[in-house]
Amino acid sequence: EIVLTQSPGTLSLSPGERATLSCRASQSVSSTYLAWYQQKPGQTPRLLIYGASSRATGIPDRFSGSGSGADFTLTISRLEPEDFAVYYCQQFRSSPYTFGQGTKLQIK
Amino acid sequence: QVQLVQSGAEVKKPGASVKVSCKASGYTFTGYYIHWVRQAPGQGLEWMGWINPNSGGTNYAQKFQGGVTMTRDTSISTAYMELSRLTSDDTAVYYCARDGHPGHGGYDYWGQGTLVTVSS
């Protein structure tokens, strides 16, 4: 089973700042099979990025994904108030299609 | 528009089974895999498995092997997830989600979630 470790667990930033979230896999995932989601309290997750770097439909361009192999990054270039949420990565390289434990992005 | 609409909340006793439905609309049901993901209260997301609505083929996480059954009825564009031998650890919100990016993976549409509470 591929274990995804997200860091930091909690990130405290202010609106307008840049956020960098990390997702590290226990083995190579390949850039093809890595997705990122955003989840706000009481809401369903929302797909942000698939294939490590492709933005999903309707996702603002302040969200970007990068990485390959076993190390991936989600970057939010300039935080908006609505971006404060929990973010999860997920791998589709091999079953079970595991999620990271999440990074909580909170307002500083 | 694409929608996945799940059945309502359930309360079950330990040892019982629960069956959650996920009705798809707005797209060709047999064209996209449906995955099931659960989220325990205050916890992260946990992948359970998928079903290919076209063939009925399934793939379950080993953790759920022997306890989960995923099926579908193409005539009504509905997928089902049945979980048996429930324990309190199965208390969670259960989501169905469409893998909208075959070859990459990524859930572009989600059901609204079904809360399953297991309590004696």
Side-chain angles (χ1 to χ4, degrees):
Chain A
E1 172 174 324
I2 297 177
V3 177
L4 298 181
T5 302
Q6 293 186 240
S7 60
T10 302
L11 184 58
S12 298
L13 293 170
S14 301
E17 291 192 294
R18 181 185 186 91
T20 303
L21 286 67
S22 174
C23 176
R24 177 164 291 178
S26 58
Q27 58 188 275
S28 178
V29 167
S30 165
S31 59
T32 306
Y33 304 113
L34 197 286
W36 288 93
Y37 303 89
Q38 175 194 69
Q39 187 178 33
K40 298 179 182 179
Q43 295 187 16
T44 62
R46 174 193 184 196
L47 178 66
L48 300 174
I49 301 288
Y50 65 94
S53 60
S54 297
R55 267 188 303 276
T57 302
I59 301 304
D61 61 7
R62 65 179 181 273
F63 290 91
S64 63
S66 62
S68 63
D71 286 300
F72 300 90
T73 301
L74 175 70
T75 301
I76 310 171
S77 58
R78 293 174 310 280
L79 286 166
E80 297 287 344
E82 62 268 27
D83 297 337
F84 292 92
V86 179
Y87 292 82
Y88 295 96
C89 56
Q90 183 188 18
Q91 65 82 21
F92 290 86
R93 175 64 180 84
S94 64
S95 179
Y97 297 151
T98 46
F99 290 90
Q101 84 280 14
T103 288
K104 182 178 181 179
L105 178 56
Q106 64 182 24
I107 298 177
K108 186 173 182 179
Chain B
Q1 72 284 19
V2 174
Q3 280 192 301
L4 299 174
V5 179
Q6 298 183 222
S7 48
E10 303 262 14
V11 179
K12 295 292 183 180
K13 294 193 182 303
S17 298
V18 68
K19 190 171 186 177
V20 179
S21 67
C22 171
K23 182 170 178 60
S25 61
Y27 73 99
T28 302
F29 177 62
T30 52
Y32 298 86
Y33 285 30
I34 293 289
H35 293 230
W36 290 88
V37 174
R38 75 178 185 181
Q39 187 169 37
Q43 302 301 308
L45 302 169
E46 181 175 29
W47 184 79
M48 299 180 69
W50 57 249
I51 183 166
N52 176 346
N54 188 40
S55 67
T58 56
N59 177 24
Y60 305 142
Q62 188 166 13
K63 172 178 179 176
F64 298 101
Q65 293 273 2
V68 71
T69 305
M70 296 178 188
T71 57
R72 92 295 189 214
D73 184 339
T74 57
S75 69
I76 55 172
S77 299
T78 300
Y80 302 92
M81 186 283 300
E82 183 169 19
L83 193 60
S84 61
R85 299 189 297 275
L86 294 169
T87 73
S88 58
D89 290 342
D90 295 314
T91 294
V93 176
Y94 289 77
Y95 295 103
C96 62
R98 186 184 87 158
D99 181 358
H101 299 282
H104 294 281
Y107 307 140
D108 57 352
Y109 290 93
W110 295 67
Q112 81 276 20
T114 297
L115 175 62
V116 175
T117 303
V118 183
S119 174
S120 56

